[in-house]
Amino acid sequence: LGISAGMWAVWKAAYGGGGSGDGDDDGGKKDDGREEEEENKRALSDADLPAAIGVLLRTFLHAVLIQCAVSAIDYAHYGRLLSPTLNIFMYNAAGGGDELYGVEPLSYYVKNLALNFNVVAILGAGALPALLALRWAGDQLRRGGKGDALTSSSSKEETVTATSLRTAAWILAPLYVWLLVVVPRPHKEERFLFPIYPALCLGAAWVADEAGGLIAAAAAVLLGRYSGEGSGAEDKSGGSGGNVGGASRRPARTAAASSGRIKALVGALIFVPAALLSASRSAALSANYSAPLAVYDALYRRIVERRSARAPSLKEEEEERLLACVGGEWYRYPSSYHLPPDVQLGFLKSSFDGQLPQPFAEYGSREESANAKGRRRGKFNDLNEEETERYVDIAECSYVIELVDNDNGGSDSEDDSVNAKKKPECVEYMESSKERGRWSEVARYDFLDAERTSFLHRVLYVPFLRGDRAVMKSYALFERAR
């Protein structure tokens, strides 16, 4: 948000900061000010096209250079020239293949933006109509306002806003175009919204800036009218005309000086609550859902420490290729960077019956990968159909990561049929007759049980109210006995 607001401030300083008349001057200077405003508007219009063309050319050049580098990397790994970007577009948009990976209603994106951006999402998504409404309100205010107070505080704002509406339409247009592309698609994911996050922040900052300017102008109008009533009373009592003029200008100077403070106050009223909600949301995500990262960190450290503690003569035997296995929690696996060398992820059969990923091979999709060292298990299909070759047997696993209930994770009880039904597949595999007694739990971290936790404590971290209201499961790491 700070970067977006800063970019907008630079734009205003470069293109809108120098073209307004001084409202404290006399009538002749006011006319000069209006002429100067018109000249600045014409100058801005003349400068818009070359500036826009320059931005487009630079963007095109950067895109070409980046695409050339990406194409070279793709060719090295795929063995032929192709465009993954085009393939993704054709598969998801033209072929309708994205529906195979889950369908969500429109409310999915609404909830997602509200959770991640709160007030900023509302202001950013409605930025263009909000700016139009603010401009209309500003025009009405200028027509109804009287006195120098309005002119002194809003003449510069008028110049900036008159130019910025066209600029806003061009800058914010990609936001709405992107929403028109991704929202109608049946398959929805949070990452599909990433490209519009900067535009949302910029639009919110824009609206806050313009709203602050409008409120400051309205305050100037009120002060100007109050000044006019006061000067009329003094005139009736026989006061000096020169003193009256000076008195009428003092509120105008006061309004101009306080305009910046009013805009800062408006921004604080909007964004301080947004910042507090965002901080609470970030704290909730960390407290509720960071367990997978902690478990894989514990796994990494445990393997490295065990290997370093082995005698030099046994290190080669110890450094065989290990499997860290997951079942239904495969989609929370962060990345291969969280595993030591010579340790790979293995998939145990779970209730998920779609297509699972597999590790990147040394030679990518080339034929050489079939004979390379590694675990290539089956091919890919474009129908999201289950590939049974992906699965490994529990006997091949050295470690297992699973989400378990606190009352039954790793339990040896066989009489509790209710808990037995709740046990994840990985726990059932480890408690089977062949594997019983061979596994021990070595790490456990809290992970939110969303089904048994209220909405408030799922989405926000409220320290004084949280207590036991946030119900936890456990993300557990199991190790095979040696």
Side-chain angles (χ1 to χ4, degrees), residues 63 92 115 204 336 429:
N92 289 280
L115 285 174
S336 57
Y429 293 147

Side-chain angles (χ1 to χ4, degrees), residues 13 54 86 106 112 126 128 133 136 175 224 234 257 386 405 408 427 478:
L86 179 61
L106 174 63
N112 193 279
L128 193 55
W136 177 84
L175 184 154
E234 289 185 14
E386 184 178 27
D405 290 330
N408 65 21
V427 175
F478 301 89

Side-chain angles (χ1 to χ4, degrees), residues 39-124:
E39 291 177 2
N40 280 326
K41 290 179 183 179
R42 288 194 295 271
L44 285 171
S45 298
D46 295 339
D48 277 347
L49 184 58
I53 292 176
V55 170
L56 291 175
L57 289 176
R58 288 197 300 273
T59 303
F60 177 76
L61 177 61
H62 294 164
V64 169
L65 293 176
I66 293 172
Q67 188 58 46
C68 288
V70 171
S71 297
I73 296 172
D74 289 336
Y75 179 79
H77 286 278
Y78 289 108
R80 63 185 187 277
L81 285 176
L82 51 80
S83 172
T85 303
L86 179 61
N87 289 346
I88 291 172
F89 175 78
M90 296 297 293
Y91 181 74
N92 289 280
D98 59 341
E99 298 179 22
L100 299 171
Y101 300 90
V103 176
E104 297 290 344
L106 174 63
S107 59
Y108 177 85
Y109 283 144
V110 176
K111 293 177 181 178
N112 193 279
L113 288 174
L115 285 174
N116 292 329
F117 279 86
N118 51 72
V119 178
V120 176
I122 298 173
L123 295 179

Side-chain angles (χ1 to χ4, degrees), residues 185-230:
R185 300 304 309 166
H187 180 64
K188 297 176 175 62
E189 294 186 34
E190 177 184 353
R191 62 193 176 99
F192 296 165
L193 297 179
F194 287 178
I196 67 169
Y197 283 175
L200 284 174
C201 294
L202 177 60
W206 222 329
V207 171
D209 182 68
E210 295 294 338
L214 180 63
I215 294 174
V221 169
L222 295 176
L223 287 175
R225 289 178 178 174
Y226 174 78
S227 169
E229 293 173 0

Side-chain angles (χ1 to χ4, degrees), residues 471-482:
V471 182
M472 293 293 178
K473 290 186 175 183
S474 290
Y475 224 80
L477 171 63
F478 301 89
E479 183 180 55
R480 178 182 291 277
R482 301 198 177 193

